[in-house]
Amino acid sequence: MISVICPCFNSSNTINEVVDSILAQVDTKFKFEVIFIDDGSTDNTVSLIKSGMERLTLNNIVSYIYVNSHKGPGAARNIGIKNSNYDYIAFIDSDDIWYKKKLSICERLISKNPEYNIFIHDENFIRNNNKHSLIINGIFKKPIHSSLYNNNCLSTSAVILKKELMIKYGGFNEKLMSSQDYELWLRLAPYLNPYKINEVLGEYRESVNSITAKFYLYRILDQLKIAYKYKDYVTYFQFLSKLIKIVFSKQWIYGIKNLV
């Protein structure tokens, strides 16, 4: 039914919590697998994944690991998709967690609503200073492609996609250094039929490792590329507004500050 894909890179401080949150899933009387892809970690992430896999196996959860040279999370997720065995793909990043009813609720709704091809839930956002806020995902206006262009309302760890979508229209763009998930959502947008789950089923956790000047500047450049590539989704004025929003975002200011 569901293939869970988890890309990892130097995730030794968080990967055990990911495994714990998968083991804590309740009412999972359906088939699912967990695929870890290590993206060239230089710490002890791989050994921790292998230990986690032993715990998963003891609980009759099939799991795999694929070790990859460092190419980014998009390439790692593509390896997971290629090697997955089930019709639906759930992503979980190595610093996020799911709540215990995540898979059971999603599986039940997928089984009852086969006409939908993406299932989306809400999350708690946990910042490094431990402040919490709520992320409401999957709030679209019509048409979906222009709505997503103006506002990304999809979080990778909070969606389950029908695998055939990515097989037909391609997976994550490995040429981008960041924002591969947003580019994929935009590419798939004309073909999405979303089901919104109005429940908080996981946590998106701010990553200390990602907050660097290099990361933010790469992200700015990638977002400009994406905005230009999909500019036909919106009006010319919306396109210009998008560019202004990207260039004068807090991310840009943060990146410049950390380069000085």
Side-chain angles (χ1 to χ4, degrees), residues 17-47:
E17 291 182 85
V18 175
V19 174
D20 289 342
S21 77
I22 294 172
L23 284 170
Q25 297 298 303
V26 297
D27 298 328
T28 51
K29 298 176 182 179
F30 52 91
K31 291 182 179 181
F32 74 96
E33 63 182 355
V34 184
I35 302 174
F36 299 98
I37 306 92
D38 180 71
D39 189 36
S41 293
T42 56
D43 61 3
N44 65 331
T45 295
V46 172
S47 61

Side-chain angles (χ1 to χ4, degrees), residues 7-260:
C8 308
F9 177 68
N10 289 345
S11 308
S12 58
N13 292 329
T14 57
I15 192 62
N16 282 334
E17 291 182 85
V18 175
V19 174
D20 289 342
S21 77
I22 294 172
L23 284 170
Q25 297 298 303
V26 297
D27 298 328
T28 51
K29 298 176 182 179
F30 52 91
K31 291 182 179 181
F32 74 96
E33 63 182 355
V34 184
I35 302 174
F36 299 98
I37 306 92
D38 180 71
D39 189 36
S41 293
T42 56
D43 61 3
N44 65 331
T45 295
V46 172
S47 61
L48 291 175
I49 291 174
K50 290 179 178 178
S51 297
M53 288 170 58
E54 291 178 6
R55 291 194 287 148
L56 291 167
T57 302
L58 288 173
N59 286 269
N60 297 316
I61 301 170
V62 178
S63 58
Y64 310 87
I65 180 173
Y66 299 90
V67 179
N68 185 31
S69 59
H70 186 54
K71 296 181 179 178
R77 293 187 187 110
N78 284 342
I79 291 173
I81 295 167
K82 181 180 178 181
N83 289 279
S84 61
N85 293 300
Y86 296 124
D87 293 334
Y88 290 87
I89 304 291
F91 300 104
I92 182 167
D93 287 345
S94 61
D95 46 8
D96 297 339
I97 66 167
W98 290 339
Y99 296 154
K100 62 183 182 179
K101 292 184 179 180
K102 150 88 178 203
L103 287 180
S104 60
I105 289 174
C106 290
E107 188 275 337
R108 174 173 53 82
L109 292 172
I110 289 170
S111 296
K112 290 183 176 180
N113 301 277
E115 68 273 22
Y116 296 94
N117 56 20
I118 182 170
F119 295 77
I120 310 149
H121 63 76
D122 300 327
E123 299 172 297
N124 283 319
F125 181 24
I126 312 300
R127 296 185 180 274
N128 288 322
N129 58 12
N130 208 34
K131 288 186 177 180
H132 295 205
S133 58
L134 179 63
I135 299 176
I136 304 296
N137 291 308
I139 303 299
F140 298 104
K141 296 179 181 178
K142 298 290 185 179
I144 290 175
H145 61 277
S146 60
S147 179
L148 260 177
Y149 186 94
N150 291 315
N151 179 40
N152 181 16
C153 60
L154 294 177
S155 174
T156 311
S157 294
V159 303
I160 294 184
L161 276 168
K162 204 162 189 179
K163 181 179 175 180
E164 67 179 20
L165 270 175
M166 290 171 286
I167 299 301
K168 187 173 182 178
Y169 300 107
F172 294 86
N173 186 340
E174 299 179 17
K175 294 181 180 179
L176 294 172
M177 297 294 292
S178 66
S179 303
Q180 301 101 330
D181 51 351
Y182 183 42
E183 194 278 333
L184 178 63
W185 310 148
L186 286 174
R187 190 168 1 113
L188 297 180
Y191 317 105
L192 294 180
N193 187 17
Y195 188 103
K196 175 68 170 73
I197 304 170
N198 294 310
E199 295 194 49
V200 179
L201 298 179
E203 292 180 3
Y204 171 78
R205 297 181 171 189
E206 191 172 51
S207 172
V208 176
N209 293 332
S210 68
I211 303 179
T212 64
K214 183 178 179 181
F215 171 82
Y216 277 110
L217 292 178
Y218 275 138
R219 186 172 178 182
I220 291 293
L221 293 174
D222 286 339
Q223 288 182 352
L224 289 172
K225 292 176 185 175
I226 293 168
Y228 181 79
K229 181 177 181 180
Y230 294 98
K231 66 183 187 302
D232 291 341
Y233 279 6
V234 294
T235 66
Y236 179 71
F237 292 104
Q238 288 174 314
F239 168 59
L240 288 181
S241 176
K242 182 79 168 182
L243 295 184
I244 293 169
K245 183 178 179 181
I246 293 170
V247 171
F248 292 100
S249 69
K250 292 180 180 179
Q251 298 172 37
W252 174 258
I253 296 170
Y254 192 96
I256 294 296
K257 180 179 178 181
N258 281 273
L259 282 179
V260 175

